[in-house]
Amino acid sequence: MSTVHQATWELLRALGVRKVFGNPGSTELPFLADFPDDIDYVLGLHEGAVVGMADAYAQSTGEPTLVNLHTAAGLGNAMGAIINAAAGHSPLVITAGQQVRAMLTLEPLLANPDPTALPKPAVKWAFEPPRAQDVPAALARAFRYAGLPPAGPVFVSLPMDDFDQPADEGGTDLLAARRVTGRSVAARAELDRLAQRLAAARNPVLVVGAGLDAAPGGFDAAVALAERQRLPVWLAPETARVGFPTDHPYFRGSLPSAIAWVSESLAGHDLLLVVGAPIFQYYPYAPGNYLPAGAELVAITDDPGAAARAPVGDALVADPGLTLVALAEIVPPTNRPAPRPRVPLKIPRAADTLTASQVYDILGPLFPPEGIVVTESMNGGAAMWDRVKFRQSGSFFFCAAGALGFALPAAIGAQLAQPNRPVLAVTGDGGAQYGIQALYTAASRRMPVTFLILVNGEYGILKGFGDYLSTTGVPGLDLDYLNYEALAKGYGIRAVRTGRPDELAVALKEAFTAADGPHMIIVDVQPGVQLEH
Ligand SMILES: Cc1ncc(C[n+]2csc(CCOP(=O)(O)OP(=O)(O)O)c2C)c(N)n1
Ligand SMILES: [Mg+2]
């Protein structure tokens, strides 16, 4: 007779689990015991880093990804990263150990007293199996549900004494054999209506969001539709992924992230087709019109919540990729003129210290065509979109809920998922501290990730936001002393520090060509943040 332990691992293997991202504690030992040789345990030294790695891995592969955390404390440590994963529609199956069932009523040390409440509202579903024998079925349900649209994290609590219990007779074959899919295309009548609206529009525009990059085929479908209809293409505000090649002549840039600014940027357009994004992911509050005068909006999203809460426009709830493919096939070619060429951003040269925009000016031509950027930095954002080109799907990841501690771990997850593509993590001297433990994982696995730290000695964006809000006298915005060379050394990562353009170029070239482990490039940049140029 097999045990719950055997049945669980049989099921996990059958579900295609190849990696487990985790940080162990005593409550996890029975689950992790006799760990299979053919599954890779990716150790992170803090639960935020564990989930950040798993998040980008899950987003890059599109596969539900298993995470194992340490009871309430480990889950609590991970919450910021889980909030990013939820906003990023990352299909994570997060598990955590739980104390022995026989003691749970007493709330012993390491109990998770309310395990299904703790991860909410960042998970779609949280569960503790009612019996030991239900662990495999609960995990099977978790894997299916995490991946169904809108994808997102789920949570299963695993009492530590469940694993040596006898499993239910009958094995896990029925559970493992199920095929559950959730991608669907919009109804034909809706597609016809949308194709007609698009064809009849005088000056339509396409806005692409993270959901398009996440949907297989979405990236190419966006190109096909944009070319057939000659649509200028913008990225949705603060997009977490890039669903359109940014070296394409129709690419316009990233929309600004406030209500009034979006409508100003899109003035003159009469139809906005927004695919794979909510309407919209705003950041500063600058009230105004949601849309330019006279414009209409149609959104295609697989997230019913996003469709329901949009303040304006129509919405089709369907797979953004499949729906765009279908739309591109039925919409007629247009005789509208092609979008005019974009004027490249002028990036002024700083006299002594680099600006973040100049860093991107230098990075742009050196960035490998198949490169991936994983970032949580807004410093120099406009220059990044202008100079750094993303040419294929899965090339860009940003912290979807704005929680710092993403870039360093997520770069590792992206690299694990796409081992042959160069990965660059970008963060500030403040942001790097929230996910710094990820450096251990990169170093111990000798992963060729490049970590670029923009050091301005402050929480620069917060000072900039303070100016916008006219706040004065806010404490805690300066970072007096952080020795990133010493930190890199402590984690076993080679590092260079520079404030000079020529040295930065050399360091970047070296990092992108070396395949023998991680590099850190510490760049001294001017105080403040460059958002416009
Ligand atoms: C987990 C988390 N805590 C706090 C914040 C608030 N926050 C937003 S930006 C920022 C400062 C970032 O500083 P740095 O990375 O140095 O970038 P800079 O703005 O200086 O370029 C902070 C603390 C956050 N976004 N996430
Ligand atoms: Mg800073």
Side-chain angles (χ1 to χ4, degrees):
M1 180 183 285
S2 69
T3 61
V4 168
H5 184 272
Q6 287 163 332
T8 298
W9 284 103
E10 230 174 75
L11 174 87
L12 292 176
R13 184 176 284 104
L15 289 172
V17 170
R18 310 232 186 298
K19 293 193 191 296
V20 179
F21 293 83
N23 183 268
S26 39
T27 43
E28 291 68 48
L29 296 177
F31 168 64
L32 296 172
D34 303 318
F35 196 84
D37 294 339
D38 58 339
I39 295 182
D40 180 17
Y41 183 82
V42 184
L43 173 66
L45 299 194
H46 182 278
E47 291 82 354
V50 170
V51 171
M53 292 191 283
D55 180 356
Y57 183 83
Q59 290 197 53
S60 301
T61 59
E63 298 294 330
T65 297
L66 185 61
V67 175
N68 186 239
L69 305 176
H70 176 52
T71 184
L75 179 59
N77 274 353
M79 278 312 291
I82 297 174
I83 286 167
N84 269 340
H89 294 301
S90 191
L92 295 184
V93 177
I94 301 169
T95 59
Q98 167 68 299
Q99 257 286 12
V100 172
R101 286 180 190 265
M103 288 203 293
L104 277 181
T105 309
L106 310 174
E107 283 196 23
L109 190 71
L110 305 189
N112 192 351
D114 203 347
T116 59
L118 190 57
K120 285 177 185 163
V123 294
K124 295 201 290 187
W125 180 63
F127 194 65
E128 187 168 81
R131 302 175 309 150
Q133 287 69 25
D134 299 317
V135 167
L139 286 170
R141 180 172 165 184
F143 270 78
R144 265 71 206 230
Y145 199 40
L148 284 170
V154 298
F155 176 75
V156 182
S157 168
L158 300 173
M160 62 189 290
D161 54 334
D162 285 1
F163 292 97
D164 60 2
Q165 298 293 312
D168 273 349
E169 294 294 333
T172 54
D173 295 354
L174 289 177
L175 286 174
R178 301 185 62 225
R179 183 174 153 74
V180 181
T181 60
R183 301 185 69 203
S184 59
V185 72
R188 180 63 202 234
E190 296 296 342
L191 281 173
D192 285 341
R193 190 169 303 151
L194 179 53
Q196 278 161 21
R197 281 176 83 171
L198 202 51
R202 182 182 39 80
N203 186 12
V205 59
L206 179 63
V207 179
V208 300
L212 193 56
D213 193 43
F219 195 92
D220 294 336
V223 176
L225 181 72
E227 291 181 351
R228 202 164 167 79
Q229 278 289 304
R230 296 188 178 156
L231 305 172
V233 181
W234 288 85
L235 300 177
E238 309 298 353
T239 195
R241 297 179 63 160
V242 169
F244 189 81
T246 63
D247 62 344
H248 194 284
Y250 294 179
F251 176 63
R252 280 285 157 275
S254 172
L255 282 174
S257 56
I259 295 166
W261 306 344
V262 169
S263 49
E264 283 161 22
S265 298
L266 297 178
H269 290 292
D270 59 345
L271 180 65
L272 281 56
L273 178 58
V274 184
V275 188
I279 314 297
F280 278 112
Q281 180 98 311
Y282 301 114
Y283 168 41
Y285 181 54
N289 294 322
Y290 289 107
L291 298 180
E296 296 178 354
L297 182 149
V298 181
I300 302 171
T301 173
D302 69 359
D303 181 353
R309 72 176 184 265
V312 65
D314 302 331
L316 299 185
V317 178
D319 182 89
L322 293 176
T323 303
L324 219 54
V325 168
L327 187 63
E329 276 167 11
I330 61 169
V331 79
T334 185
N335 53 17
R336 281 187 290 264
R340 64 193 150 65
R342 199 168 57 94
V343 184
L345 200 67
K346 282 202 176 57
I347 298 179
R349 286 202 160 270
D352 42 16
T353 322
L354 287 168
T355 61
S357 303
Q358 280 182 287
V359 170
Y360 288 115
D361 196 24
I362 295 162
L363 170 64
L366 303 174
F367 188 66
E370 71 284 13
I372 298 172
V373 165
V374 182
T375 183
E376 60 197 359
S377 172
M378 294 189 171
N379 198 359
M384 182 197 67
W385 291 122
D386 195 86
R387 295 299 202 265
V388 183
K389 302 301 174 198
F390 303 107
R391 296 173 167 86
Q392 53 180 298
S393 179
S395 295
F396 178 85
F397 298 94
F398 176 73
C399 47
L404 293 171
F406 175 80
L408 304 188
I412 293 166
Q415 182 81 85
L416 286 169
Q418 307 189 71
N420 299 322
R421 297 182 62 183
V423 178
L424 175 71
V426 186
T427 183
D429 45 354
Q433 288 304 313
Y434 299 80
I436 196 82
Q437 303 87 353
L439 296 181
Y440 170 83
T441 310
S444 69
R445 293 175 164 252
R446 306 185 61 75
M447 296 175 63
V449 176
T450 305
F451 299 102
L452 182 69
I453 319 282
L454 303 173
V455 178
N456 57 4
E458 59 183 4
Y459 287 161
I461 187 97
L462 300 187
K463 290 185 182 175
F465 207 90
D467 291 344
Y468 178 72
L469 296 177
S470 304
T471 52
T472 53
V474 176
L477 302 183
D478 288 304
L479 301 169
D480 302 326
Y481 183 77
L482 273 169
N483 186 339
Y484 275 96
E485 289 128 301
L487 283 166
K489 193 164 178 226
Y491 279 103
I493 292 187
R494 75 204 115 164
V496 292
R497 178 168 195 149
T498 182
R500 292 184 33 178
D502 50 343
E503 287 177 1
L504 174 61
V506 170
L508 285 167
K509 271 186 223 159
E510 199 176 307
F512 288 141
T513 46
D516 59 340
H519 285 70
M520 184 185 286
I521 304 175
I522 306 154
V523 190
D524 292 300
V525 295
Q526 284 184 9
V529 290
Q530 279 78 39
L531 298 176
E532 303 296 330
H533 56 73

